[in-house]
Amino acid sequence: MELKHKHLLVRAEVLEPPKDLKVMRKWTKSLIKDIDMKILAGPYAKYCDVVGNRGLTCVTIIETSHITLHSWDEMNPALVQLDVYSCKELDETIVFDYVYKFIPVRMSYRYFDRENNFKLIKLKK
């Protein structure tokens, strides 16, 4: 396998943030399957109930790197930050489809080719 070093960072303000650990683990497993990656460990999901930092975090080690999601559900809209790092090609549109399940009202992203000095990648049309 030729290493590709693709890194997608998504920030979404959402109306329906993830709160259920079991649902989040299932969401993550489905995402990983749909982007044709393989799980090495996890997904591990925990909920933080500290005032001012309430939200869910889910981390999964994949064969080609990692996927991490953090959410903060105290604010309105809630905030979701997703980090998908893969050492093989990645179809970012599938990742965005999964984020849309949280009903984003605003969403931004950065998609980098980390093999080439963090070159910004343009979305597929």
Side-chain angles (χ1 to χ4, degrees), residues 39-105:
I39 295 174
L40 287 180
Y44 304 106
K46 292 290 182 182
Y47 189 86
C48 176
D49 61 2
V50 175
V51 175
N53 195 34
R54 285 190 183 125
L56 185 145
T57 295
C58 186
V59 178
T60 307
I61 300 167
I62 57 176
E63 189 175 88
T64 53
S65 198
H66 70 267
I67 295 176
T68 304
L69 180 139
H70 300 285
S71 70
W72 292 267
D73 56 34
E74 287 179 289
M75 52 186 81
N76 187 15
L79 178 61
V80 168
Q81 303 249 25
L82 177 64
D83 178 346
V84 180
Y85 184 13
S86 175
C87 294
K88 72 177 210 177
E89 287 298 331
L90 172 65
D91 184 345
E92 71 281 354
T93 60
I94 295 171
V95 177
F96 293 139
D97 286 345
Y98 272 79
V99 175
Y100 292 144
K101 294 177 182 184
F102 303 129
I103 317 295
V105 293

Side-chain angles (χ1 to χ4, degrees), residues 8-11 96 107-111 120-123:
L8 179 61
L9 302 169
V10 180
R11 180 188 191 280
F96 293 139
M107 191 163 81
S108 58
Y109 74 93
R110 292 292 182 265
Y111 190 23
L120 196 59
I121 299 171
K122 292 183 181 181
L123 283 180

